[in-house]
Amino acid sequence: MDDLTDRVRAFAEAREWQQFHTPKNLAMALAGEVGELIAEFQWLTPAEASAVMNDPDAGSRVKAEIGDVMIYLTRLADVLGVDLIEAALTKLDDSAHRYPVEQARGSAAKR
């Protein structure tokens, strides 16, 4: 993760984009990229969505959009000083408490 963060930071610095990489702008760009990822699945049946990576063209587009999402999320976390791995693990621990296996198994209900 550190290597990716360093590469994304260096990419932005080489282009002098730090001035544009405010948390608001990065969050908005991230939302836009998530929207582009969602668009790749729009109108697909559940079976088609599950098999999207079997189609070379669609799979390539999905992979590229996931890459964009990861880059913007990495950059946002870097600018805010958030350790992405720590944040994810903390959230996973919180979710484990909120959704104990014995109560949440097989249920999509929110708590």
Side-chain angles (χ1 to χ4, degrees), residues 59-77:
S60 177
R61 291 191 309 271
V62 166
K63 187 175 178 180
E65 295 306 337
I66 288 173
D68 285 340
V69 168
M70 185 69 173
I71 288 167
Y72 276 111
L73 181 60
T74 300
R75 184 69 178 133
L76 177 60

Side-chain angles (χ1 to χ4, degrees), residues 6-26:
D6 291 345
R7 281 192 63 185
V8 172
R9 184 186 308 127
F11 184 90
E13 288 174 352
R15 290 154 180 81
E16 297 183 356
W17 286 352
Q18 306 92 310
Q19 62 187 318
F20 309 114
H21 285 187
T22 64
K24 177 196 72 80
N25 287 351
L26 290 167

Side-chain angles (χ1 to χ4, degrees), residues 53-94:
M53 298 308 290
N54 295 336
D55 177 314
D57 292 333
S60 177
R61 291 191 309 271
V62 166
K63 187 175 178 180
E65 295 306 337
I66 288 173
D68 285 340
V69 168
M70 185 69 173
I71 288 167
Y72 276 111
L73 181 60
T74 300
R75 184 69 178 133
L76 177 60
D78 185 36
V79 166
L80 291 174
V82 172
D83 181 316
L84 269 176
I85 301 300
E86 179 185 334
L89 292 174
T90 298
K91 182 63 180 180
L92 189 58
D93 288 343
D94 178 58

